[in-house]
Amino acid sequence: MSNDRRIRMLIVDDEPVICEGLRCTINWDELGVEVVGEAYDGKEALQMVQEHDVDFLLSDIRMEDMDGLQLAEQLKQQFPRVQVIMISGYEDFEYARQAIRLGVSDYLLKPVDIEELTTVVSKVVTSIHKREQEGVPQEAKLWLLDMARHGISYSKEVPTSLHGVQFRILATQLDNFYERYSTIPPVQYKEIQDRWMSMIQGYLQHSGLRAVSVFYHENLLITLAVSNIRLDRKTWDELLASAILSTEKDIGLYGGASLPYDDLADTSAYCAEATELLSYHVSEGLLVLLPEYRDSIGMNRILPDFDIAERVKRLVSALFKQDQDEVKELVASMFQLFRKEGFLLPDIVKIYEELFALLRQRLRKSGMTDLDYGHNETPNLNVYNSYTGLEVLVLKEIQQLLLLIDKQGIDKSYWIIEKAKKYMNDHYQSDLKASEVASWLKITPSYFSYIFKQSTGKGFTEYMNEAKIDQAKELLATTHDKVFEIADKVGYKEYKYFVSVFKSYTGMTPKEYRGLSASKDAGK
């Protein structure tokens, strides 16, 4: 392809005056660049990229609705060939890290030095022309990335460079990513990615296969291995296993290998199969994961019941007591169980999402607000790909709730009332008085009565009567005890008083209730 083609650039900034300044400050024609327009937010930019066949963006990082980093992430998924130069008014290391990991070509600080911007744009223009001249390898990578992400290829036809007789997908990942790699400098991590891809591709190509690799995620490399001859299964397995094992000591890789297949149209399904196998690594620490291993584990894997409601109850108590040690202990005991019983990381994520939803529900009932603040999306298991990494994340999110409770100054009486209700339920058979419960809690009777009504919406006597009547109804329906015996069992020493209270709550006498219950049972 000729270098005469002008490269199409889009300027993205939520301030029109800055867009105009960037358009007019530099002679873009001399750089071989055509400015196709300006977009004032990330969403508009995505639409214009599609409409104008944009080659690269010059984008601000801080914008409303969809910021520059979110835009870069969407471009990486939808238009991976489009390059981005990011401009920021903030000298923030974390912004720079995220930008580089999202594939941003360069990161410039405001006020932008015109000479520096011109140099950076020239490099991007040169790289785009070089990519187009190379053509075939880039086309194959884009095809594979489309198939892995979307199940279809936007380039429509399979590149001729990928034609072959038999194919296999190898998905590889760095072990313990969060613990080992999440804090290293972006440039250093890029070097690790380059070595990782080079070693996998190099080994396969040296073994007589063709290979093309793309990063689906910063910690997930998808490799398509192409054979011009039909290989037996054992030979295939040995080649892919050796590709992983030859690099493991260097950077710590493990991988999942799909079954062999003959039709490239099925590539998406086999990408999914190879990727899914990675979740079985935590089970026994195997470095090479084949479909047969998944099948054997699946046949024998029976997970024990996990009492989420009980865990939530204990966590709520610890949170309102502001007991950090107990919170750590509860999270640690959960993950000890997960390890012991062989829970896979996707199993744990499902449990945690349900646990956190119930936890927020319980806390809302106590008057808390902003409970979605700080709660991240479903954990990305390409990042938290170990028990330890996921445990750190879970503990961190629950500790954020500790801080939120402390910040909002939520009434610590909640956990006091929880203790009181348990004590009352354990002693409902006695003639328990509010002053006795207050004494047990070591607070004054007047304060106890006040916080009990605030928390439950009921007075002490009303709450106790309801608990006793509920138990009496159960005994009337399930036993042949006489009514006066039941009255005594639930804490009413005066039979007539029991009947009076029972009728006020149910609208009928105990005998009438028993008769109605018996007739219902007979009709079943």
Side-chain angles (χ1 to χ4, degrees):
M1 180 161 303
S2 171
N3 283 10
D4 293 338
R5 180 178 87 81
R6 287 204 297 169
I7 301 304
R8 300 166 69 81
M9 180 186 79
L10 177 67
I11 298 172
V12 188
D13 198 298
D14 56 1
E15 296 186 43
V17 66
I18 292 180
C19 288
E20 185 64 25
L22 287 170
R23 177 191 274 272
C24 299
T25 302
I26 293 177
N27 188 334
W28 297 106
D29 284 340
E30 287 187 359
L31 297 175
V33 173
E34 174 191 356
V35 181
V36 300
E38 296 100 20
Y40 302 119
D41 61 51
K43 292 180 180 177
E44 184 182 5
L46 280 176
Q47 184 175 349
M48 292 185 72
V49 166
Q50 187 169 16
E51 292 173 354
H52 297 284
D53 193 23
V54 172
D55 294 298
F56 82 97
L57 275 70
L58 190 58
S59 175
D60 188 22
I61 201 167
R62 295 292 291 268
M63 296 180 290
E64 295 293 328
D65 294 330
M66 181 187 291
D67 65 22
L69 292 175
Q70 292 170 321
L71 172 59
E73 187 171 10
Q74 288 297 314
L75 287 170
K76 187 175 181 181
Q77 293 180 8
Q78 299 181 40
F79 307 100
R81 69 175 184 81
V82 176
Q83 297 193 40
V84 181
I85 298 173
M86 200 71 76
I87 299 175
S88 173
Y90 300 86
E91 192 171 358
D92 188 304
F93 176 75
E94 188 56 34
Y95 277 145
R97 177 203 297 279
Q98 291 182 56
I100 291 174
R101 287 188 172 177
L102 287 169
V104 169
S105 300
D106 221 313
Y107 186 92
L108 304 177
L109 292 174
K110 294 180 181 178
V112 176
D113 180 85
I114 300 304
E115 186 176 339
E116 182 184 18
L117 177 58
T118 301
T119 301
V120 169
V121 170
S122 296
K123 287 181 180 178
V124 169
V125 170
T126 300
S127 73
I128 292 173
H129 283 309
K130 182 179 179 182
R131 180 187 71 197
E132 291 179 342
Q133 288 167 356
E134 292 173 349
V136 172
Q138 187 65 20
E139 183 185 20
K141 286 186 176 184
L142 290 175
W143 180 89
L144 178 57
L145 190 59
D146 281 345
M147 293 299 285
R149 288 193 187 282
H150 310 295
I152 59 171
S153 173
Y154 294 107
S155 60
K156 296 181 181 177
E157 294 184 3
V158 177
T160 55
S161 62
L162 295 181
H163 289 179
V165 173
Q166 205 173 29
F167 313 94
R168 206 137 175 213
I169 295 293
L170 180 64
T172 49
Q173 197 159 66
L174 298 170
D175 200 3
N176 300 303
F177 178 82
Y178 178 77
E179 303 94 293
R180 296 170 58 203
Y181 295 102
S182 63
T183 58
I184 69 171
V187 173
Q188 185 180 338
Y189 184 70
K190 181 66 167 58
E191 291 174 356
I192 291 172
Q193 284 184 314
D194 291 343
R195 282 198 298 131
W196 170 4
M197 182 185 289
S198 176
M199 285 187 285
I200 291 289
Q201 286 187 331
Y203 186 90
L204 294 175
Q205 289 165 358
H206 182 73
S207 302
L209 300 172
R210 281 174 289 136
V212 58
S213 299
V214 291
F215 278 100
Y216 185 98
H217 175 271
E218 61 182 329
N219 188 33
L220 177 56
L221 182 69
I222 300 291
T223 300
L224 171 63
V226 182
S227 176
N228 291 326
I229 59 172
R230 189 167 295 280
L231 300 174
D232 63 76
R233 178 63 188 280
K234 182 180 179 183
T235 301
W236 260 123
D237 288 352
E238 288 175 351
L239 285 172
L240 298 185
S242 296
I244 296 170
L245 296 174
S246 66
T247 63
E248 190 276 327
K249 290 180 181 178
D250 192 356
I251 54 178
L253 282 178
Y254 63 96
S258 75
L259 291 168
Y261 62 103
D262 301 333
D263 188 347
L264 281 171
D266 297 328
T267 296
S268 177
Y270 287 98
C271 284
E273 178 180 62
T275 302
E276 188 234 350
L277 289 170
L278 296 173
S279 66
Y280 289 83
H281 171 66
V282 297
S283 182
E284 295 181 37
L286 295 185
L287 302 179
V288 183
L289 298 150
L290 300 173
E292 290 80 5
Y293 178 71
R294 171 200 60 200
D295 297 341
S296 67
I297 289 288
M299 289 175 60
N300 301 316
R301 205 165 68 99
I302 300 175
L303 298 179
D305 290 334
F306 185 83
D307 192 342
I308 293 178
E310 177 60 26
R311 295 281 175 172
V312 168
K313 182 178 177 182
R314 293 168 65 185
L315 279 168
V316 167
S317 175
L319 287 169
F320 276 98
K321 286 187 288 184
Q322 291 285 284
D323 191 331
Q324 294 198 40
D325 291 338
E326 187 176 351
V327 167
K328 289 179 182 178
E329 161 115 26
L330 286 168
V331 173
S333 67
M334 281 196 296
F335 275 85
Q336 187 177 11
L337 173 68
F338 295 150
R339 289 179 172 92
K340 179 182 176 183
E341 299 295 342
F343 281 73
L344 300 182
L345 300 185
D347 300 327
I348 298 172
V349 167
K350 287 179 182 177
I351 288 172
Y352 177 62
E353 288 295 303
E354 185 179 347
L355 184 145
F356 205 91
L358 288 173
L359 195 56
R360 283 180 292 173
Q361 184 183 63
R362 289 286 300 275
L363 295 177
R364 281 195 187 97
K365 286 182 178 179
S366 70
M368 281 193 64
T369 57
D370 297 329
L371 281 167
D372 291 321
Y373 175 78
H375 179 53
N376 301 317
E377 298 175 354
T378 299
N380 189 325
L381 294 182
N382 293 313
V383 176
Y384 302 98
N385 62 336
S386 67
Y387 286 125
T388 301
L390 196 53
E391 182 176 351
V392 168
L393 176 68
V394 170
L395 179 59
K396 181 180 177 182
E397 289 206 354
I398 294 179
Q399 286 176 327
Q400 285 177 338
L401 288 177
L402 268 174
L403 294 174
L404 191 60
I405 291 171
D406 186 56
K407 179 182 176 183
Q408 291 191 6
I410 296 297
D411 187 0
K412 306 301 189 300
S413 64
Y414 177 83
W415 74 270
I416 297 176
I417 297 304
E418 289 296 302
K419 286 180 66 177
K421 288 195 286 190
K422 185 178 186 308
Y423 183 82
M424 291 158 65
N425 290 335
D426 290 343
H427 296 81
Y428 74 90
Q429 294 172 317
S430 64
D431 188 17
L432 191 64
K433 294 180 175 58
S435 59
E436 294 172 349
V437 180
S439 176
W440 180 75
L441 291 169
K442 296 181 174 57
I443 59 178
T444 66
S446 59
Y447 179 61
F448 170 67
S449 297
Y450 171 75
I451 64 172
F452 190 86
K453 184 68 179 285
Q454 288 289 105
S455 176
T456 65
K458 300 170 186 175
F460 176 84
T461 302
E462 181 184 2
Y463 184 92
M464 287 299 294
N465 278 334
E466 281 189 3
K468 291 179 178 184
I469 296 305
D470 285 343
Q471 183 61 21
K473 286 161 66 177
E474 176 71 17
L475 293 172
L476 286 165
T478 59
T479 73
H480 296 292
D481 293 349
K482 293 181 170 55
V483 175
F484 74 86
E485 292 175 333
I486 290 175
D488 186 64
K489 283 183 177 180
V490 298
Y492 289 99
K493 305 307 177 186
E494 293 289 335
Y495 172 74
K496 288 184 179 180
Y497 180 62
F498 167 67
V499 173
S500 173
V501 173
F502 190 95
K503 189 171 184 179
S504 70
Y505 277 90
T506 65
M508 63 185 78
T509 66
K511 288 183 179 179
E512 289 170 341
Y513 180 85
R514 172 171 271 173
L516 181 63
S517 178
S519 64
K520 283 183 179 179
D521 290 341
K524 289 182 180 179

